[in-house]
Amino acid sequence: MRAVIQRVSEAQVRVDGTVIGQCGPGLMVLVCAMQGDTEAQAQKLAQKVAKCRIFQDENGKMNRSVIDVGGSALVISQFTLSADTRSGNRPGFSTAAPPEDGKRLYELFAQQLGALIPVQTGSFGADMKVSLINDGPVTIPMEV
């Protein structure tokens, strides 16, 4: 599985003009299940995201996790993280998990992360409009 996490002051997602999820301060997490990914990988990624130390401690060092700071997360499915851009100008997405597997693993990831911190989500497969205030900016790619 792949993810991109962003430390945010706030984030929200809209579908058809209605806010369906929001968070802040905390993390905005874009998640993509790849072909062959497993439930164990979804669980491991949730742990890795929750424990990633990208928040400042009392000395201004990135040494605290979203758990440590009492933050929340907005989790968004993003199959385009599977993009293969090695040839041509049009990305290929053939390495993304099939939609039914992608949805199942995305939901499991959000559930596992939600056991550790407050989580809201987007809508798998929907045309979503995401807005955020990236704090730092801090943006970290992850893969398990």
Side-chain angles (χ1 to χ4, degrees):
M1 290 191 74
R2 291 182 181 166
V4 172
I5 63 173
Q6 296 180 310
R7 186 177 73 188
V8 298
S9 300
E10 61 185 60
Q12 72 174 215
V13 60
R14 293 176 182 268
V15 173
D16 296 327
T18 302
V19 174
I20 64 166
Q22 57 191 353
C23 80
L27 300 174
M28 213 279 292
V29 185
L30 304 173
V31 181
C32 178
M34 307 294 288
Q35 284 187 20
D37 282 348
T38 65
E39 292 180 359
Q41 286 172 290
Q43 294 167 348
K44 183 177 180 180
L45 184 60
Q47 289 288 321
K48 192 172 182 175
V49 167
K51 294 177 181 177
C52 185
R53 298 185 310 177
I54 61 171
F55 292 87
Q56 293 183 350
D57 65 14
E58 59 280 353
N59 298 315
K61 303 282 186 195
M62 288 199 305
N63 202 27
R64 300 181 77 197
S65 71
V66 67
I67 296 170
D68 297 333
V69 300
S72 58
L74 176 60
V75 177
I76 305 291
S77 61
Q78 178 111 24
F79 85 95
T80 59
L81 291 179
S82 71
D84 180 355
T85 59
R86 292 176 288 178
S87 63
N89 294 319
R90 184 170 186 256
F93 304 103
S94 63
T95 58
E100 56 279 357
D101 293 338
K103 182 176 183 180
R104 178 177 52 82
L105 292 170
Y106 159 73
E107 289 174 350
L108 177 62
F109 169 84
Q111 176 188 37
Q112 293 292 309
L113 187 60
L116 302 169
I117 60 171
V119 167
Q120 292 192 18
T121 64
S123 179
F124 186 90
D127 180 18
M128 295 177 278
K129 307 301 181 204
V130 180
S131 60
L132 63 109
I133 298 176
N134 193 321
D135 180 14
V138 175
T139 302
I140 309 286
M142 292 187 169
E143 193 164 346
V144 296

